[in-house]
Amino acid sequence: MNQAPVSCIPNAKMSKAKKVIDEAKEIQNPELDLADKGIASFEELPGLFNMLNITRLTLSHNKLQVVPPGLANLINLEILNLFNNQIEELPTSLSSMPKLRILNVGMNRLGSLPRGFGAFPVLEVLDLTYNNLDESTLPGNFFMMETLRALYLGDNDFEFLPTEVGQLKNLQILVLRENDLVELPKEIGDLARLRELHIQGNRLTVLPPEIGNLDLVSNKSVLKMENNPWVTPIADQLQVGVSHVMDYIRTETYKYVYSRHISADRQPPPKTNDKSKKISRARQQS
Protein backbone atom coordinates (compact mmCIF):
# COMPACT_ATOMS: atom_id res chain seq x y z
CA MET A 1 0.00 0.00 0.00
CA ASN A 2 1.43 3.36 -0.99
CA GLN A 3 1.92 5.72 1.94
CA ALA A 4 1.35 9.43 1.53
CA PRO A 5 4.63 11.35 1.32
CA VAL A 6 5.87 12.26 4.79
CA SER A 7 6.55 15.83 3.73
CA CYS A 8 2.97 16.70 2.75
CA ILE A 9 1.91 18.12 6.14
CA PRO A 10 5.05 20.19 6.78
CA ASN A 11 4.74 21.58 3.24
CA ALA A 12 1.21 22.75 3.94
CA LYS A 13 2.41 24.44 7.12
CA MET A 14 5.43 25.87 5.38
CA SER A 15 3.35 27.34 2.58
CA LYS A 16 1.10 29.07 5.14
CA ALA A 17 4.06 30.59 6.97
CA LYS A 18 5.97 31.26 3.73
CA LYS A 19 2.96 33.13 2.35
CA VAL A 20 3.02 35.50 5.36
CA ILE A 21 6.79 35.99 4.98
CA ASP A 22 6.53 36.61 1.21
CA GLU A 23 3.77 39.16 1.70
CA ALA A 24 5.78 40.96 4.38
CA LYS A 25 8.83 41.05 2.08
CA GLU A 26 6.76 42.39 -0.77
CA ILE A 27 5.36 45.36 1.13
CA GLN A 28 8.42 45.76 3.38
CA ASN A 29 6.23 45.27 6.47
CA PRO A 30 8.47 45.54 9.57
CA GLU A 31 5.97 43.56 11.69
CA LEU A 32 5.68 39.82 11.06
CA ASP A 33 2.83 37.88 12.71
CA LEU A 34 3.26 34.11 12.55
CA ALA A 35 1.21 33.25 15.65
CA ASP A 36 -0.67 29.94 15.76
CA LYS A 37 0.56 28.59 12.42
CA GLY A 38 1.58 25.12 13.64
CA ILE A 39 5.26 25.94 13.09
CA ALA A 40 7.56 23.30 14.61
CA SER A 41 10.90 24.54 13.28
CA PHE A 42 12.55 27.70 11.98
CA GLU A 43 13.35 25.63 8.87
CA GLU A 44 9.72 26.23 7.92
CA LEU A 45 10.51 29.96 7.69
CA PRO A 46 12.86 30.29 4.70
CA GLY A 47 14.54 33.66 4.30
CA LEU A 48 13.42 34.93 7.72
CA PHE A 49 16.94 35.67 8.97
CA ASN A 50 17.61 37.91 5.97
CA MET A 51 14.67 40.21 6.71
CA LEU A 52 16.78 42.81 8.47
CA ASN A 53 14.03 45.44 8.41
CA ILE A 54 11.82 43.48 10.86
CA THR A 55 11.13 45.27 14.16
CA ARG A 56 8.44 42.94 15.55
CA LEU A 57 8.28 39.14 15.27
CA THR A 58 5.39 37.15 16.74
CA LEU A 59 5.76 33.36 16.87
CA SER A 60 3.49 32.65 19.83
CA HIS A 61 1.24 29.55 20.05
CA ASN A 62 3.38 27.34 17.82
CA LYS A 63 5.35 24.12 18.43
CA LEU A 64 8.91 25.43 18.31
CA GLN A 65 11.45 23.46 20.34
CA VAL A 66 14.70 25.06 19.23
CA VAL A 67 15.61 28.72 18.72
CA PRO A 68 18.61 28.98 16.36
CA PRO A 69 21.40 31.48 17.14
CA GLY A 70 20.82 33.03 13.70
CA LEU A 71 17.70 34.75 15.01
CA ALA A 72 20.08 37.38 16.41
CA ASN A 73 20.83 38.41 12.80
CA LEU A 74 17.61 40.45 12.97
CA ILE A 75 19.47 43.45 14.32
CA ASN A 76 16.50 45.84 14.11
CA LEU A 77 14.16 43.57 16.06
CA GLU A 78 12.55 45.39 19.00
CA ILE A 79 9.82 42.93 20.02
CA LEU A 80 10.16 39.13 20.01
CA ASN A 81 7.20 37.01 21.12
CA LEU A 82 7.80 33.26 21.55
CA PHE A 83 5.02 32.71 24.11
CA ASN A 84 3.50 29.21 24.33
CA ASN A 85 5.91 26.99 22.45
CA GLN A 86 7.98 23.99 23.62
CA ILE A 87 11.37 25.71 23.91
CA GLU A 88 13.82 24.14 26.38
CA GLU A 89 16.76 26.48 25.92
CA LEU A 90 17.63 29.81 24.35
CA PRO A 91 20.75 30.71 22.34
CA THR A 92 23.34 32.99 23.97
CA SER A 93 23.23 35.20 20.86
CA LEU A 94 19.81 36.65 21.78
CA SER A 95 21.30 38.86 24.47
CA SER A 96 23.49 40.62 21.87
CA MET A 97 20.48 41.95 19.94
CA PRO A 98 21.07 45.71 19.93
CA LYS A 99 17.48 46.98 19.76
CA LEU A 100 15.46 44.25 21.50
CA ARG A 101 13.17 45.94 24.05
CA ILE A 102 10.52 43.26 24.71
CA LEU A 103 11.16 39.51 24.96
CA ASN A 104 8.32 37.12 25.76
CA VAL A 105 9.29 33.48 26.28
CA GLY A 106 6.49 32.70 28.73
CA MET A 107 4.82 29.28 28.75
CA ASN A 108 7.71 27.24 27.42
CA ARG A 109 9.91 24.52 28.96
CA LEU A 110 12.97 26.53 29.94
CA GLY A 111 14.93 24.84 32.71
CA SER A 112 17.84 27.26 32.50
CA LEU A 113 19.04 30.42 30.78
CA PRO A 114 22.26 30.71 28.77
CA ARG A 115 25.45 32.21 30.18
CA GLY A 116 25.62 35.95 29.73
CA PHE A 117 21.83 36.23 29.33
CA GLY A 118 21.83 39.52 31.25
CA ALA A 119 23.83 41.34 28.54
CA PHE A 120 20.80 42.74 26.67
CA PRO A 121 21.72 46.37 26.00
CA VAL A 122 18.21 47.91 25.91
CA LEU A 123 15.76 45.22 27.14
CA GLU A 124 12.80 46.73 29.01
CA VAL A 125 10.30 43.87 29.37
CA LEU A 126 11.25 40.24 30.03
CA ASP A 127 8.50 37.64 30.39
CA LEU A 128 9.65 34.23 31.66
CA THR A 129 6.27 33.23 33.15
CA TYR A 130 5.35 29.55 33.38
CA ASN A 131 8.68 27.83 32.85
CA ASN A 132 10.85 25.60 35.07
CA LEU A 133 13.33 28.20 36.34
CA ASP A 134 14.69 28.67 39.86
CA GLU A 135 17.41 30.65 41.61
CA SER A 136 20.10 28.12 40.64
CA THR A 137 19.38 28.43 36.92
CA LEU A 138 19.88 32.19 36.51
CA PRO A 139 23.21 33.22 34.93
CA GLY A 140 25.56 35.40 36.99
CA ASN A 141 24.81 38.61 35.09
CA PHE A 142 21.01 38.19 35.04
CA PHE A 143 20.40 41.21 37.28
CA MET A 144 22.69 43.52 35.31
CA MET A 145 19.88 44.47 32.93
CA GLU A 146 19.65 48.04 34.16
CA THR A 147 17.17 49.05 31.45
CA LEU A 148 14.59 46.47 32.63
CA ARG A 149 11.21 47.97 33.59
CA ALA A 150 9.14 44.79 33.92
CA LEU A 151 10.22 41.29 34.98
CA TYR A 152 7.70 38.44 34.93
CA LEU A 153 8.87 35.32 36.79
CA GLY A 154 5.46 33.96 37.87
CA ASP A 155 4.71 30.21 37.79
CA ASN A 156 8.31 29.03 38.11
CA ASP A 157 10.13 27.19 40.91
CA PHE A 158 11.93 29.93 42.88
CA GLU A 159 12.34 29.36 46.63
CA PHE A 160 14.65 32.37 47.02
CA LEU A 161 15.17 35.49 44.97
CA PRO A 162 18.84 36.52 44.62
CA THR A 163 19.79 39.68 46.51
CA GLU A 164 21.13 41.14 43.23
CA VAL A 165 17.51 41.95 42.30
CA GLY A 166 18.23 45.28 44.00
CA GLN A 167 20.43 46.24 41.03
CA LEU A 168 17.40 46.58 38.71
CA LYS A 169 17.05 50.28 39.50
CA ASN A 170 14.52 51.00 36.75
CA LEU A 171 12.20 48.11 37.58
CA GLN A 172 8.54 49.12 37.87
CA ILE A 173 6.82 45.72 37.71
CA LEU A 174 8.02 42.53 39.44
CA VAL A 175 5.83 39.43 39.18
CA LEU A 176 6.75 36.45 41.39
CA ARG A 177 3.35 34.86 41.89
CA GLU A 178 2.88 31.08 42.13
CA ASN A 179 6.46 30.14 42.91
CA ASP A 180 7.75 28.44 46.08
CA LEU A 181 9.29 31.55 47.66
CA VAL A 182 9.95 31.20 51.39
CA GLU A 183 11.42 34.68 51.81
CA LEU A 184 12.07 37.90 49.93
CA PRO A 185 15.43 39.72 50.01
CA LYS A 186 15.51 43.09 51.75
CA GLU A 187 17.08 44.48 48.56
CA ILE A 188 13.61 44.66 46.98
CA GLY A 189 13.32 47.77 49.14
CA ASP A 190 16.04 49.38 46.95
CA LEU A 191 13.77 49.29 43.87
CA ALA A 192 12.61 52.89 44.25
CA ARG A 193 10.59 52.88 41.01
CA LEU A 194 8.69 49.67 41.75
CA ARG A 195 4.93 50.18 41.43
CA GLU A 196 3.70 46.61 41.03
CA LEU A 197 4.70 43.64 43.19
CA HIS A 198 2.91 40.32 42.73
CA ILE A 199 3.88 37.75 45.36
CA GLN A 200 0.63 35.82 45.77
CA GLY A 201 0.62 32.02 45.94
CA ASN A 202 4.02 31.45 47.56
CA ARG A 203 5.22 30.18 50.97
CA LEU A 204 5.94 33.60 52.48
CA THR A 205 5.37 34.19 56.20
CA VAL A 206 6.98 37.64 56.66
CA LEU A 207 8.04 40.63 54.55
CA PRO A 208 11.37 42.41 55.02
CA PRO A 209 10.65 45.81 56.65
CA GLU A 210 12.60 47.46 53.80
CA ILE A 211 9.59 46.86 51.52
CA GLY A 212 8.03 49.66 53.54
CA ASN A 213 10.35 52.04 51.61
CA LEU A 214 8.31 51.44 48.45
CA ASP A 215 5.21 53.15 47.14
CA LEU A 216 2.94 50.17 46.58
CA VAL A 217 -0.41 51.57 47.72
CA SER A 218 -0.98 54.76 45.69
CA ASN A 219 -3.65 54.89 42.97
CA LYS A 220 -1.42 53.50 40.23
CA SER A 221 0.31 50.91 42.41
CA VAL A 222 -0.44 47.19 42.80
CA LEU A 223 0.50 44.87 45.66
CA LYS A 224 -0.91 41.34 45.43
CA MET A 225 0.03 39.09 48.36
CA GLU A 226 -2.84 36.69 49.06
CA ASN A 227 -2.48 32.89 49.37
CA ASN A 228 0.63 32.93 51.53
CA PRO A 229 0.96 31.48 55.08
CA TRP A 230 1.55 34.94 56.65
CA VAL A 231 2.29 35.36 60.35
CA THR A 232 -0.88 36.32 62.23
CA PRO A 233 -0.23 40.11 62.47
CA ILE A 234 0.28 40.39 58.68
CA ALA A 235 -2.69 38.12 57.96
CA ASP A 236 -4.88 40.26 60.23
CA GLN A 237 -3.82 43.49 58.49
CA LEU A 238 -4.29 41.91 55.05
CA GLN A 239 -7.93 41.20 55.87
CA VAL A 240 -8.42 44.96 56.19
CA GLY A 241 -6.36 45.77 53.07
CA VAL A 242 -2.83 45.92 51.65
CA SER A 243 -2.42 49.57 52.64
CA HIS A 244 -2.80 48.46 56.27
CA VAL A 245 -0.08 45.85 55.72
CA MET A 246 2.27 48.52 54.35
CA ASP A 247 1.55 50.81 57.31
CA TYR A 248 2.13 47.93 59.72
CA ILE A 249 5.50 46.79 58.30
CA ARG A 250 6.79 50.35 58.72
CA THR A 251 6.24 50.23 62.50
CA GLU A 252 8.84 49.49 65.17
CA THR A 253 6.50 46.77 66.46
CA TYR A 254 6.76 44.92 63.16
CA LYS A 255 10.56 45.27 63.01
CA TYR A 256 10.66 43.51 66.38
CA VAL A 257 8.24 40.78 65.18
CA TYR A 258 10.32 40.34 62.01
CA SER A 259 13.69 40.08 63.78
CA ARG A 260 12.30 37.55 66.26
CA HIS A 261 10.78 35.50 63.46
CA ILE A 262 14.05 35.46 61.48
CA SER A 263 16.22 34.64 64.52
CA ALA A 264 13.93 31.73 65.44
CA ASP A 265 15.10 30.05 62.22
CA ARG A 266 11.86 28.14 61.73
CA GLN A 267 11.38 25.49 59.09
CA PRO A 268 9.78 27.04 55.97
CA PRO A 269 6.15 26.11 55.30
CA PRO A 270 5.69 22.99 53.15
CA LYS A 271 5.18 23.23 49.41
CA THR A 272 1.52 23.34 48.53
CA ASN A 273 1.71 23.87 44.76
CA ASP A 274 1.84 20.56 42.89
CA LYS A 275 3.75 21.48 39.77
CA SER A 276 4.24 17.98 38.41
CA LYS A 277 1.35 18.43 35.98
CA LYS A 278 2.47 21.78 34.59
CA ILE A 279 2.44 21.95 30.80
CA SER A 280 6.06 23.12 31.01
CA ARG A 281 6.99 19.75 32.57
CA ALA A 282 5.40 17.70 29.80
CA ARG A 283 7.78 15.41 28.00
CA GLN A 284 8.55 16.36 24.46
CA GLN A 285 6.73 14.11 22.08
CA SER A 286 8.93 12.26 19.68
Side-chain angles (χ1 to χ4, degrees), residues 67-74 90-98 100 114-117 119-121:
V67 179
L71 188 59
N73 292 352
L74 302 177
L90 295 171
T92 309
S93 60
L94 281 192
S95 57
S96 66
M97 296 178 80
L100 196 66
R115 272 186 77 175
F117 188 77
F120 289 97

Side-chain angles (χ1 to χ4, degrees), residues 112-146:
S112 64
L113 295 173
R115 272 186 77 175
F117 188 77
F120 289 97
V122 295
L123 197 67
E124 295 177 22
V125 178
L126 175 58
D127 193 337
L128 292 163
T129 306
Y130 213 93
N131 280 286
N132 302 319
L133 300 168
D134 62 37
E135 57 274 13
S136 69
T137 59
L138 298 181
N141 71 344
F142 184 81
F143 294 103
M144 290 183 186
M145 293 182 272
E146 290 183 6

Side-chain angles (χ1 to χ4, degrees), residues 52-180:
L52 300 186
N53 66 312
I54 290 183
T55 60
R56 181 180 193 136
L57 175 59
T58 304
L59 283 160
S60 51
H61 307 292
N62 281 295
K63 296 172 183 173
L64 294 166
Q65 296 180 8
V66 176
V67 179
L71 188 59
N73 292 352
L74 302 177
I75 53 171
N76 288 302
L77 201 63
E78 296 177 22
I79 300 171
L80 174 58
N81 188 345
L82 294 165
F83 180 81
N84 192 16
N85 278 277
Q86 298 165 19
I87 300 162
E88 293 192 355
E89 58 182 316
L90 295 171
T92 309
S93 60
L94 281 192
S95 57
S96 66
M97 296 178 80
K99 295 185 181 178
L100 196 66
R101 293 184 298 105
I102 299 173
L103 174 60
N104 187 343
V105 281
M107 202 170 279
N108 277 285
R109 298 177 182 175
L110 296 171
S112 64
L113 295 173
R115 272 186 77 175
F117 188 77
F120 289 97
V122 295
L123 197 67
E124 295 177 22
V125 178
L126 175 58
D127 193 337
L128 292 163
T129 306
Y130 213 93
N131 280 286
N132 302 319
L133 300 168
D134 62 37
E135 57 274 13
S136 69
T137 59
L138 298 181
N141 71 344
F142 184 81
F143 294 103
M144 290 183 186
M145 293 182 272
E146 290 183 6
T147 52
L148 212 57
R149 292 187 296 109
L151 176 58
Y152 298 88
L153 293 173
D155 286 286
N156 279 283
D157 303 321
F158 289 89
E159 290 194 14
F160 298 92
L161 189 65
T163 58
E164 290 85 356
V165 69
Q167 296 171 13
L168 300 177
K169 299 299 184 194
N170 288 300
L171 204 64
Q172 297 169 27
I173 300 170
L174 178 58
V175 179
L176 301 165
R177 62 172 171 72
E178 307 297 337
N179 275 277
D180 289 309

